[in-house]
Amino acid sequence: MCGAREQIRSLVLSGETFDQPAQELRELQLEAAREAFTAQRERIPLLRTRAEETGVHEITSPDDLVPLLFSHTSYKSYPLSLLTAGRWDRLLHWYTTVSVVERGDVDMDGVRDIDEWTDRITAAGHRPYITSGTSGKVSFLNCDASDLDFLHDILEHLTCWPDPLPPKPTRRGYLLAPASGPMRSIDGYRWHAEVFARPGETRLLTEDPMRVSELMSSALLRRRIAEGAATPQEISSFETVSESREQELGAAMDRIVDDIAAHRDEPLLIAGMNNQQFTLIEALRARGVADGSLHPDTLVLSGGGNKGRALPDDYQERFAAFYAGVRRVRSYGMTELQGSCLACEKGDYHVPPWVIPLVLDEAGEKLLNTEQGVVEGRFAFLDVSLQGRWGGLISGDRVFVNFSPCACGRPGPTVLPDIQRYGDLGGDDKITCAATLDSYVRGMIHG
């Protein structure tokens, strides 16, 4: 008999992913959690240490998962000095404390920068996805080949759920992203194009790869400028490079806008983060492309990407108006989560079966889950689909989760649309376990 993880994966292919009886699914999820904990506690030093310190030796209920959750900062708990000093071997040592990666499997000989570092990990059979890194540090989230296969199944069979699209390449594609790079969104857009766009008919915002080193150095310099620590020469060079880059990307966006305007009567695939989508929509409107005028079989993927640029308060309404009548993915998710919580006909986000939702108090210490009703708290979860890293995480999001059946008729739980970052609500967004986890990591890599 196949394991609980594979039984859950089979639900993705069944056409009944979000229709499983709640009690039966909870039992299957708990068995998958046991499997994941047993397999990963000896392979991930931070998880093993956490289990020993908290005295959790087996998973008997969701309460046992709470002490084992990592903070959303755990995956960027490396000392920045390892990058500035080029200590790539030590950075790999850090990576192996939070991931299912063996140091001896990755060749660090001759690595010159963070991009080559990520390439070497990829060459060893892993995929180190990063987050945006607006603070100057990115998170590195390890995936193995099985994780990527699972993710590909999700996009191929659940895109546009509850009325999923058949996996047919019938569209002209536009990806508002680089040609490549270790970001889940970039891979996801490319995979969507392979499944839903006609071969040879996908246009990119740029043929250049995304470079992690440029992303991090730009974020660090912006922070130094904000703190008043940057030199005039640094500021001048930064502004020159930024202006040149903006002009290149602006010209590329103009070409995409012209092409979309010329092919608006065809089915299209348009994929990009919210910032790029907003720029695209405003430019198309300026070209005379009216709201709701795209082909109804157009597929639109958007989300995230708001950091570093303030979008208008009504940007979601503008998106909805312009893309009225097309196929548009509506979801709640994050890089740390495989796939997303997908919106039903009523607009609530259904938690997928491979995710055990754990609603915590603001400090991230107490489990607030209930059998029925709506609970407000910090969103945490265990993603049992992940094998390249521990899928238990405490996020920075304040959510309302409904554990009762949804108004659409399907079982819960669902995340309601009122989602905000604790950091945007006036608090410090401090998770109690975060400092402890960071101290564990520091001890491991310096021990």
Side-chain angles (χ1 to χ4, degrees):
M1 181 178 179
C2 65
R5 176 185 184 269
E6 290 308 308
Q7 292 182 59
I8 290 174
R9 184 175 181 177
S10 70
L11 298 177
V12 177
L13 313 178
S14 70
E16 300 178 347
T17 308
F18 294 93
D19 300 311
Q20 305 306 304
Q23 182 58 39
E24 292 180 20
L25 180 58
R26 282 196 292 267
E27 292 173 0
L28 182 60
Q29 288 176 327
L30 197 59
E31 181 58 32
R34 293 189 190 100
E35 290 178 1
F37 180 57
T38 299
Q40 295 181 355
R41 65 183 168 187
E42 297 306 318
R43 302 192 66 191
I44 302 175
L46 181 57
L47 177 60
R48 181 176 64 249
T49 301
R50 188 66 173 163
E52 292 171 352
E53 292 284 339
T54 58
V56 177
H57 304 295
E58 61 178 336
I59 306 301
T60 60
S61 74
D63 289 277
D64 295 325
L65 294 171
V66 176
L68 302 175
L69 298 173
F70 293 0
S71 163
H72 63 85
T73 62
S74 297
Y75 291 103
K76 55 181 176 183
S77 58
Y78 52 89
L80 196 58
S81 59
L82 298 183
L83 280 74
T84 56
R87 295 298 308 277
W88 310 116
D89 55 336
R90 301 300 295 175
L91 186 63
L92 177 63
H93 188 184
W94 165 80
Y95 194 60
T96 62
T97 68
V98 296
S99 309
V100 183
V101 176
E102 298 294 332
R103 293 172 67 186
D105 293 340
V106 184
D107 179 13
M108 287 285 111
D109 186 43
V111 170
R112 293 171 296 180
D113 58 25
I114 190 63
D115 295 285
E116 288 190 1
W117 184 84
T118 58
D119 289 343
R120 296 295 180 87
I121 295 174
T122 301
H126 300 271
R127 188 64 166 153
Y129 283 139
I130 69 165
T131 57
S132 58
T134 51
S135 66
K137 293 178 76 174
V138 301
S139 296
F140 291 99
L141 301 152
N142 192 63
C143 293
D144 67 10
S146 177
D147 299 335
L148 300 183
D149 287 343
F150 199 114
L151 186 58
H152 200 281
D153 282 347
I154 293 168
L155 72 86
E156 184 169 340
H157 295 279
L158 293 179
T159 294
C160 285
W161 181 88
D163 184 21
L165 287 171
K168 296 180 180 179
T170 57
R171 295 165 181 80
R172 188 176 181 86
Y174 304 91
L175 308 187
L176 311 179
S180 62
M183 271 190 167
R184 198 190 73 175
S185 60
I186 295 175
D187 277 356
Y189 294 158
R190 190 181 72 251
W191 291 339
H192 274 94
E194 291 172 359
V195 173
F196 297 109
R198 295 189 292 266
E201 293 194 33
T202 296
R203 284 145 185 80
L204 302 172
L205 185 61
T206 173
E207 296 289 343
D208 296 331
M210 187 205 72
R211 291 185 56 80
V212 184
S213 55
E214 292 179 2
L215 184 72
M216 295 182 72
S217 62
S218 294
L220 283 171
L221 185 55
R222 287 191 182 94
R223 189 169 72 181
R224 293 184 66 221
I225 291 173
E227 295 170 349
T231 67
Q233 179 61 40
E234 287 175 325
I235 296 173
S236 177
S237 297
F238 174 75
E239 291 176 343
T240 299
V241 171
S242 296
E243 183 178 354
S244 175
R245 188 63 173 163
E246 286 293 325
Q247 290 176 351
E248 291 176 8
L249 294 178
M253 182 67 82
D254 286 343
R255 291 190 291 272
I256 285 178
V257 168
D258 290 341
D259 202 79
I260 290 176
H263 295 273
R264 73 184 80 172
D265 296 329
E266 302 176 27
L268 309 176
L269 164 65
I270 303 174
M273 305 303 278
N274 285 339
N275 283 337
Q276 287 74 37
Q277 287 278 7
F278 183 79
T279 299
L280 176 75
I281 287 172
E282 294 302 296
L284 284 168
R285 282 176 168 152
R287 298 284 204 289
V289 179
D291 289 0
S293 64
L294 298 183
H295 190 283
D297 203 28
T298 289
L299 169 61
V300 174
L301 310 172
S302 62
N306 298 0
K307 294 179 181 179
R309 173 182 172 183
L311 293 175
D313 291 340
D314 66 343
Y315 79 94
Q316 289 286 13
E317 289 77 8
R318 297 196 203 185
F319 283 13
F322 185 80
Y323 287 130
V326 308
R327 307 296 298 272
R328 187 176 171 212
V329 173
R330 296 178 300 137
S331 64
Y332 163 63
M334 58 196 72
T335 303
E336 294 88 345
L337 195 65
Q338 288 262 85
S340 299
C341 303
L342 299 175
C344 68
E345 301 89 341
K346 299 297 183 179
D348 294 339
Y349 301 111
H350 284 251
V351 180
W354 57 90
V355 174
I356 301 174
L358 303 165
V359 184
L360 308 180
D361 62 355
E362 185 172 348
E365 297 179 298
K366 182 181 178 181
L367 183 65
L368 306 178
N369 284 22
T370 183
E371 290 291 327
Q372 298 287 324
V374 177
V375 177
E376 175 188 357
R378 185 182 290 273
F379 187 63
F381 56 86
L382 175 65
D383 185 335
V384 299
S385 75
L386 288 163
Q387 295 187 329
R389 67 180 186 274
W390 177 236
L393 191 92
I394 305 174
S395 81
D397 290 351
R398 193 288 311 272
V399 297
F400 295 87
V401 175
N402 183 11
F403 287 91
S404 298
C406 180
C408 72
R410 299 179 183 87
T414 56
V415 180
L416 305 184
D418 183 12
I419 301 164
Q420 290 183 279
R421 302 283 294 180
Y422 273 107
D424 295 334
L425 294 173
D428 293 329
D429 189 22
K430 290 184 178 178
I431 301 171
T432 300
C433 71
T436 302
L437 290 166
D438 287 354
S439 69
Y440 288 164
V441 173
R442 285 194 298 270
M444 290 174 192
I445 63 177
H446 293 301

